[in-house]
Amino acid sequence: MVSLAWDPVNDSSVIGYYIHYGKQSPNRLGSCAYDQEQFVSSQQSSHQGTVADLDRGLTYYFAVSAYNGLESHCSNEVFIRTPLLDCCPSWGWWREVVSLRYAWNEEVAPVSWTVFASS
């Protein structure tokens, strides 16, 4: 399980965020071309989400996009290697400032990521 948190976009039209993730990076800044995505409503969350059922011992890449009816470009990505065993807690975290480019107005805003991983 990986929990991600980010600073919200300062735009009242944003109704949620997509967490994009996968075992491969798209290797293109702003790309949301990941294998999977998960929607997080702004009303159901304080700008955080948890991604479960990840394979053990693999590296996963994550990025977030804002959604207001249109989806923004993706933020810079963060990545984490999942623990090999379920028996033993494995914690990791980091904080990285990334940026989110809105598709609807091409504005750039800083986004702070906090990522926690546990088995």
Side-chain angles (χ1 to χ4, degrees):
M1 175 172 54
V2 174
S3 296
L4 302 115
W6 54 91
D7 293 336
V9 172
N10 189 16
D11 183 333
S12 62
S13 71
V14 172
I15 60 172
Y17 299 85
Y18 280 98
I19 298 172
H20 300 271
Y21 63 100
K23 297 174 190 171
Q24 293 185 330
S25 170
N27 291 316
R28 285 180 288 139
L29 185 62
S31 174
C32 294
Y34 294 85
D35 293 336
Q36 299 179 55
E37 65 185 25
Q38 178 178 307
F39 184 74
V40 179
S41 169
S42 291
Q43 296 171 353
Q44 296 173 345
S45 163
S46 58
H47 313 294
Q48 60 188 11
T50 299
V51 178
D53 300 323
L54 299 174
D55 295 332
R56 292 183 210 121
L58 296 177
T59 300
Y60 281 86
Y61 300 87
F62 300 88
V64 67
S65 62
Y67 182 75
N68 71 347
L70 298 173
E71 188 174 356
S72 73
H73 296 285
C74 267
S75 66
N76 294 351
E77 72 184 19
V78 292
F79 64 92
I80 194 160
R81 184 167 179 85
T82 55
L84 281 172
L85 303 173
D86 280 340
C87 72
C88 313
S90 173
W91 291 91
W93 72 272
W94 64 91
R95 192 165 174 89
E96 179 179 342
V97 176
V98 297
S99 61
L100 197 67
R101 184 175 295 277
Y102 309 111
W104 52 90
N105 65 8
E106 292 302 318
E107 191 177 316
V108 177
V111 175
S112 288
W113 280 99
T114 303
V115 180
F116 298 92
S118 64
S119 58

